[in-house]
Amino acid sequence: MFRLREQNKLDKLQRIKAAAADLFAELGYESATMRAIANRAGVGLGTLFLYAENKRDLVFLIFNEELDSIIERAFGSVRPEMPLLEQLVSVFSVVSA
């Protein structure tokens, strides 16, 4: 189990990613500001900059988490007893969905 400090860091990171994703969707990438993201996440602007230097970094944080989830689902759909071609089709059907 995570110690309290580590858990608090993970919680802040999740709030920051959620706030950034929400504001990018609501306002668009250009209009969303780091200050607005920090406010929505309930963290100070300085704290936000500890996690991401700029909005581009925030996009990558969000994207990487989503990509990890897709990859996990894709490879979770593969059964080892399936022929290779069926395994590939299974993986790519999840990725393309």
Side-chain angles (χ1 to χ4, degrees), residues 16 33-39 42-52:
I16 288 168
T33 65
M34 293 293 276
R35 185 173 305 283
I37 292 166
N39 287 339
V43 299
L45 189 57
T47 299
L48 175 59
F49 282 109
L50 292 174
Y51 291 88

Side-chain angles (χ1 to χ4, degrees), residues 63-81:
F63 177 78
N64 286 338
E65 182 175 348
E66 183 64 25
L67 184 59
D68 288 345
S69 173
I70 291 168
I71 290 171
E72 187 175 309
R73 285 194 322 264
F75 285 99
S77 71
V78 174
R79 294 188 325 270
E81 68 276 1

Side-chain angles (χ1 to χ4, degrees), residues 10-46:
L10 287 174
D11 179 56
K12 281 181 197 171
L13 179 59
Q14 285 305 112
R15 290 193 334 255
I16 288 168
K17 288 191 289 189
D22 289 347
L23 286 171
F24 291 153
E26 288 173 25
L27 306 175
Y29 178 81
E30 292 298 324
S31 296
T33 65
M34 293 293 276
R35 185 173 305 283
I37 292 166
N39 287 339
R40 174 79 58 100
V43 299
L45 189 57

